[in-house]
Amino acid sequence: MFNESRSPRNIRRIAIIGSGMSGLAAALLLKASAVEVTLFEKSRGPGGRLAAKRLPDSLGGGSADIGAQYFTIRNPGFRELLERYVGPEHYTTWSARLRYQSDSGEWGLFKDSERYVGLPRMTAISRALSESLTINARIRIDKFERIDDDQWRLRDTEGKDHGCFDAVIITAPPAQSRDLLAASGLTGLSQFLEPHVSQMQACWTVVARFPHSLGLDYDGFQPKSDILQWAANNSSKPGREGIGEWWVLHGRPDWSDQYQNGSPEFVTEALVGAFAQATGVVEQPDHILTHRWLYAKSAATEGPGHLWFNDERIGVIGDWVQGGRVEGAYESAESLVNRLCSDGSLSPNTQDTSRTPE
Ligand SMILES: Cc1cc2nc3c(=O)[nH]c(=O)nc-3n(C[C@H](O)[C@H](O)[C@H](O)COP(=O)(O)OP(=O)(O)OC[C@H]3O[C@@H](n4cnc5c(N)ncnc54)[C@H](O)[C@@H]3O)c2cc1C
């Protein structure tokens, strides 16, 4: 995409920073091309924004999806990846009754569409995708150092060396990807990410438990509200545990941004209040969990697919480079891997021990 001056190189070992949908998909697609891949993840486990929060055992256990609520499968490659690595035991359709409120205040139904969720939680997808991969978790990569013209050495925030690689693929949100490039002395490249940084939107999330069914005849909705963007009955998704009805409430991006530093109590009161106003429910939740996403979704609905800096052998992928969403994250990975395969950059690892000995 940029800096095309040099001819493609033989890339055998690739480091992927981040194990959300885009990092996991890139790793599996590259592995299928017999390239050696190592994933680094700053959190405890894979998933990124395919995220779930554990619910207390005393209230039936299980977890609530606090990030992506559902996803589409339109791209045949995405379907193939899910069928091959995830399987029907870990994802299924969510036959949700969803509605939205128009500017005039009228309620309408969402368009008919197949909506999918992880089973019994969104992270079941990332867990299954990561089964055949090695993920170096709880390692926050801080920078890469060029050790000769052809390799990068990765260092974490403690200064620890994590080995040398022919290429690096970054999957972090744009502000974090930009900072990684800048910390690695690649300020020229980091500037390409600047326009994407301001597109990322914050999202305050509240998980509210009601001891009894609220008796609503819909499973999720988008109200006309200055505060609440989305609410979903997590308990209506297949395979969810937890006693009572657990609702996930997402704050509007502009509101979440304005109250980025608001206290969880303030945020809870505002979101639960907006939920009550939209539903007419007077009952108060008896258990609350909160989560603040600084980088939840991108406002951009399209993008270049991926960034590839050929001279440096650095790629940047993620939902925000491909119009957002879980499926966009997959497509971003697919577009970079297709590109590397088709331009001859990859040099498959020919020491495949599974081959029949001669
Ligand atoms: C509240 C919310 C609601 C959403 N709703 C939907 C929805 O309904 N449908 C839909 O399709 N999408 C939805 N999305 C968007 C969807 O979750 C994302 O599009 C998708 O999960 C992004 O995947 P990704 O791999 O691009 O990025 P991420 O999932 O963000 O993965 C990036 C990973 O990189 C790791 N990382 C970052 N920096 C470093 C570092 N320096 N070192 C090591 N690791 C690092 C992070 O920990 C993370 O695991 C929602 C997101 C949020 C937050």
Side-chain angles (χ1 to χ4, degrees):
M1 180 145 294
F2 307 103
N3 308 337
E4 305 279 1
S5 56
R6 290 200 203 169
S7 58
R9 323 278 186 72
N10 289 341
I11 296 173
R12 285 166 200 269
R13 297 190 72 213
I14 299 187
I16 299 182
I17 301 173
S19 64
M21 175 53 79
S22 60
L24 293 170
L28 290 166
L29 295 171
L30 286 165
K31 246 186 111 180
S33 296
V35 174
E36 199 184 315
V37 182
T38 307
L39 284 142
F40 296 94
E41 171 55 55
K42 69 180 166 68
S43 305
R44 268 182 307 166
R49 281 171 281 155
L50 280 173
K53 218 170 181 108
R54 282 200 68 78
L55 306 180
D57 288 341
S58 58
L59 295 173
S63 40
D65 302 324
I66 54 164
Q69 297 294 291
Y70 60 83
F71 57 92
T72 53
I73 312 178
R74 299 190 180 111
N75 178 307
F78 188 38
R79 185 174 294 279
E80 201 181 310
L81 185 96
L82 293 170
E83 283 174 359
R84 179 161 176 203
Y85 295 103
V86 182
E89 65 276 29
H90 299 304
Y91 76 103
T92 189
T93 48
W94 178 34
S95 318
R97 301 158 300 169
L98 303 181
R99 63 183 209 162
Y100 70 95
Q101 197 171 22
S102 67
D103 286 345
S104 65
E106 297 288 300
W107 286 96
L109 294 178
F110 272 39
K111 275 192 202 145
D112 266 351
S113 171
E114 290 265 274
R115 298 183 180 86
Y116 294 85
V117 292
L119 196 59
R121 59 187 71 88
M122 276 297 189
T123 46
I125 311 250
S126 40
R127 187 174 286 261
L129 287 174
S130 62
E131 228 152 64
S132 63
L133 300 168
T134 307
I135 298 180
N136 297 294
R138 297 178 201 261
I139 293 173
R140 184 192 286 261
I141 298 299
D142 184 41
K143 60 178 166 192
F144 358 113
E145 298 162 354
R146 210 193 271 270
I147 52 167
D148 59 37
D149 207 22
D150 280 324
Q151 289 214 310
W152 291 103
R153 185 194 301 283
L154 263 60
R155 285 203 190 274
D156 67 18
T157 40
E158 315 284 297
K160 195 169 164 223
D161 174 358
H162 287 283
C164 297
F165 300 89
D166 303 324
V168 181
I169 297 176
I170 310 172
T171 77
Q176 295 167 342
S177 296
R178 175 200 58 191
D179 294 349
L180 254 172
L181 290 170
S184 309
L186 298 163
T187 37
L189 306 195
S190 70
Q191 283 166 19
F192 284 106
L193 277 65
E194 207 61 61
H196 298 275
V197 171
S198 56
Q199 301 272 8
M200 287 306 278
Q201 303 173 324
C203 178
W204 264 112
T205 301
V206 163
V207 181
R209 185 245 187 199
F210 297 89
H212 312 290
S213 165
L214 297 181
L216 302 174
D217 58 3
Y218 44 89
D219 305 310
F221 63 91
Q222 277 180 347
K224 184 173 138 42
S225 160
D226 293 337
I227 299 172
L228 184 65
Q229 185 187 41
W230 162 260
N233 178 1
N234 196 73
S235 309
S236 73
K237 294 181 177 179
R240 268 50 181 181
E241 294 165 4
I243 302 165
E245 211 163 88
W246 292 85
W247 281 78
V248 174
L249 318 180
H250 283 161
R252 280 177 60 100
D254 46 355
W255 182 85
S256 300
D257 210 33
Q258 187 181 351
Y259 295 105
Q260 223 178 77
N261 298 317
S263 70
E265 294 75 23
F266 165 80
V267 167
T268 299
E269 196 182 327
L271 284 175
V272 171
F275 176 79
Q277 195 177 5
T279 55
V281 166
V282 287
E283 194 176 347
Q284 284 297 305
D286 65 355
H287 195 90
I288 291 286
L289 303 166
T290 53
H291 184 86
R292 184 186 64 170
W293 295 99
L294 280 180
Y295 310 114
K297 287 189 254 184
S298 172
T301 50
E302 51 187 36
H306 65 264
L307 305 179
W308 175 248
F309 304 104
N310 197 47
D311 276 2
E312 294 80 7
R313 298 170 320 286
I314 290 176
V316 183
I317 59 172
D319 63 334
W320 54 274
V321 210
Q322 179 59 25
R325 303 178 302 107
V326 174
E327 192 164 8
Y330 164 81
E331 287 178 336
S332 178
E334 182 190 53
S335 77
L336 176 59
V337 175
N338 282 348
R339 180 221 160 94
L340 296 179
C341 288
S342 64
D343 74 4
S345 293
L346 301 181
S347 178
N349 188 350
T350 48
Q351 294 169 343
D352 180 357
T353 49
S354 64
R355 280 189 305 174
T356 313
E358 290 173 354

